[in-house]
Amino acid sequence: YYWSFLAQYGGLSKIKIVLKGALKKAYGFSWVGQFSAFAYITRKFETDKPILHRLLTLYCTIPEYPYHFLLFPEGTDLNPRSKASSDRWAEKNGLPLWDYVLHPRTTGLNYCLEVVRARSGIDAIYDVTVGYLDGPVVSKLGIIKGQPPREVHIHIR
């Protein structure tokens, strides 16, 4: 749904996204992401660090081409397995348990901010939360079958 938002406001052609490495093999989407210089990561920071560094450095070398860098600090969608993992992490770190969002993992985000600040600066950071009228979307299968949520709310801070 964030794609629709960017398309509405003219930012779709400027987006750079950090995605799970498995999506690099997804039919159709993979060539678009590779052509657009999206970052495919393993979610193991030591493995991903050089990938992020190379791509962020590339993005920063083109000052006349401002871009939107989309990173999901939660690392995944809200589903029962990711919720349980987030809850375990929160308990281990003495944080409150949340009902409708996951706790972000900030190592990669902080690294990306460090690299970009050192090279070109940052105009803005947006915290985007997507909410669904019917509650959290657990499976994309319904969307693929043409059964999207009745209403989607995008909160930008």
Side-chain angles (χ1 to χ4, degrees):
Y1 295 104
Y2 192 66
W3 288 86
S4 301
F5 173 78
L6 286 175
Q8 178 76 24
Y9 293 99
L12 197 54
S13 65
K14 299 174 184 173
I15 192 164
K16 301 297 181 193
I17 307 176
V18 176
L19 298 164
K20 292 180 191 178
L23 292 174
K24 192 173 188 175
K25 296 176 181 150
Y27 179 74
F29 185 77
S30 64
W31 69 268
V32 172
Q34 291 181 52
F35 180 75
S36 300
F38 291 174
Y40 291 96
I41 60 171
T42 64
R43 294 177 18 185
K44 293 183 177 91
F45 183 66
E46 290 308 314
T47 303
D48 297 332
K49 186 177 178 180
I51 295 167
L52 292 171
H53 187 272
R54 181 176 50 84
L55 287 173
L56 289 168
T57 301
L58 171 68
Y59 303 155
C60 291
T61 60
I62 312 170
E64 63 278 356
Y65 184 74
Y67 61 91
H68 302 274
F69 188 66
L70 181 59
L71 175 72
F72 298 93
E74 300 84 2
T76 190
D77 295 335
L78 179 62
N79 60 57
R81 196 168 113 205
S82 64
K83 174 76 169 84
S85 176
S86 179
D87 288 350
R88 283 191 304 275
W89 186 83
E91 288 172 346
K92 182 175 118 182
N93 291 284
L95 298 171
L97 302 182
W98 294 336
D99 293 324
Y100 301 107
V101 294
L102 302 173
H103 283 276
R105 307 295 175 94
T106 58
T107 302
L109 172 62
N110 288 335
Y111 180 73
C112 291
L113 293 175
E114 177 186 312
V115 171
V116 175
R117 281 185 183 133
R119 282 163 180 73
S120 65
I122 298 171
D123 292 337
I125 297 175
Y126 298 101
D127 178 5
V128 180
T129 302
V130 178
Y132 305 94
L133 181 65
D134 302 322
V137 174
V138 175
S139 170
K140 291 191 176 49
L141 188 57
I143 294 172
I144 292 169
K145 288 182 174 182
Q147 303 163 341
R150 287 185 296 148
E151 194 171 304
V152 177
H153 296 259
I154 299 176
H155 175 75
I156 302 174
R157 183 170 56 151

